[in-house]
Every structure is written in structure tokens, then in C-alpha cells.
């Protein structure tokens, strides 16, 4: 697997006692050991002052030092394993995303995924990305929205 877009909640769950915790921990562990790139939007910087990225803002806001997700981001930065892509998509696609996904934050992760090589978004958010929407997004846009348990064996 060459690259992935990872929703913030997937990383946060490694430090939360949820049904996803075990999968998030294993997902992060495997990412630490391989060469898969983490896709972020242009302007990403772990330094909040320099960050101009939406995904960067989400990561900085929700992943505190000491959390496994934060440690992963530091490791990826040190090893140049971020891939920067545009968040721009054609207007028709942007409008369709707005119709499907109510949460503006989650729309951006989907837009970034459209501009990635693998077109995979790892997310445990079933509120905004319900199973039916995941199928629609895969069929209409070619982006596969999966949770960590579904991608672990591919890493």
C-alpha cells in the first residue's frame, strides 16, 4: 500500500476505550513499521503556527503529545512519510460530496482521498460515513472508506 488518508478519529481511538481501540493500536503499529505514506492537504505542518492545512488543524487539535497518534505523526514527519495533495476537486464532485456528507470536516478528508493514489480513507466515523454512504462513495467516486480492521492486513 503506497498511501492512505486517515481520519483523526482513527488515531484518537488508540487512546480511547472504544470498540476500535485494539484495531487503532495495531494500525498505528503497522504504519510505524512500513513505508506507507500518510496523505495530508497542502500546507500541513505539525507546528501549529506554520500549519495551513485542514487535516493538520484536526490532528493538532485532537492528538496531544503522549497519544499514540501524535507519536505516529512525529515518526512520519522525521522519516518524510507525508504526501501533500491538493484539496481541490471538480465543482460537480464537490457538490456531490456536500450532498452526501453533512459534516464539513469529513468532507475535506474525502476530498483529499480523491487526490490520493490508493483512494483509501481509514475512518471509524460511522455517523457521517454510514455504510450506505461508504458504498455510494466507492461506486460514484472510487474512494474506499474503511476502518482500521479492514486495512491492517494490507499494511
Amino acid at each position: 500500500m503506497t498511501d492512505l488518508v486517515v481520519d483523526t478519529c482513527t488515531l484518537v481511538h488508540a487512546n480511547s476505550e472504544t470498540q476500535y481501540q485494539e484495531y487503532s493500536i495495531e494500525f498505528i503499529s503497522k504504519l510505524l513499521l512500513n513505508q506507507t505514506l500518510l496523505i495530508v492537504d497542502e500546507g500541513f505542518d505539525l507546528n501549529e503556527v506554520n500549519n495551513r492545512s485542514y487535516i493538520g488543524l484536526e490532528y493538532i487539535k485532537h492528538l496531544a503529545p503522549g497519544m499514540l497518534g501524535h507519536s505516529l505523526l512525529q515518526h512520519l514527519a522525521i522519516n518524510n512519510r507525508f504526501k501533500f495533495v491538493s484539496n481541490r476537486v471538480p465543482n460537480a464532485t464537490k457538490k456531490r460530496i456536500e450532498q452526501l456528507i453533512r459534516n464539513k470536516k469529513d468532507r475535506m478528508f474525502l476530498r483529499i482521498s480523491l487526490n490520493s493514489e490508493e483512494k483509501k480513507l481509514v475512518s471509524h466515523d460511522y455517523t457521517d460515513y454510514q455504510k450506505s454512504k461508504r458504498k455510494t462513495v466507492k461506486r460514484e467516486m472510487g474512494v474506499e472508506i474503511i476502518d482500521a480492521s479492514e486495512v491492517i492486513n494490507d499494511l
Side-chain angles (χ1 to χ4, degrees), residues 71-135:
S71 298
L72 172 68
L73 296 180
Q74 289 179 318
H75 173 82
L76 297 177
I78 290 167
N79 291 284
N80 295 314
R81 289 187 37 214
F82 287 111
K83 184 175 179 181
F84 306 94
V85 302
S86 172
N87 64 22
R88 294 176 187 238
V89 295
N91 280 337
T93 303
K94 184 178 176 185
K95 287 180 182 180
R96 182 63 177 136
I97 290 171
E98 289 169 359
Q99 289 174 340
L100 285 170
I101 311 298
R102 279 188 268 150
N103 186 320
K104 290 181 182 181
K105 296 172 185 176
D106 292 313
R107 291 178 193 162
M108 186 61 72
F109 282 93
L110 183 52
R111 287 169 47 184
I112 300 300
S113 300
L114 279 163
N115 292 325
S116 69
E117 187 174 322
E118 295 278 348
K119 297 199 180 335
K120 290 187 187 289
L121 169 58
V122 183
S123 178
H124 294 158
D125 182 350
Y126 283 91
T127 301
D128 294 299
Y129 300 124
Q130 300 98 334
K131 287 185 179 185
S132 62
K133 287 185 183 178
R134 290 172 185 238
K135 289 178 184 177

Side-chain angles (χ1 to χ4, degrees), residues 1-8 10-11 23-24 26-32 34-41 55 59 72-73 76 81-85 109-110 112-123 143-155:
M1 180 151 314
T2 59
D3 62 22
L4 286 172
V5 178
V6 181
D7 194 352
T8 312
T10 305
L11 301 176
Y23 296 118
S24 289
E26 187 174 354
F27 174 74
I28 289 171
S29 298
K30 288 201 171 190
L31 274 181
L32 286 167
N34 68 27
Q35 296 303 309
T36 302
L37 301 175
L38 183 65
I39 302 291
V40 293
D41 49 331
I55 290 179
Y59 286 169
L72 172 68
L73 296 180
L76 297 177
R81 289 187 37 214
F82 287 111
K83 184 175 179 181
F84 306 94
V85 302
F109 282 93
L110 183 52
I112 300 300
S113 300
L114 279 163
N115 292 325
S116 69
E117 187 174 322
E118 295 278 348
K119 297 199 180 335
K120 290 187 187 289
L121 169 58
V122 183
S123 178
V143 172
E144 189 175 8
I145 304 172
I146 51 181
D147 65 43
S149 68
E150 296 172 287
V151 73
I152 287 171
N153 292 331
D154 295 333
L155 294 175

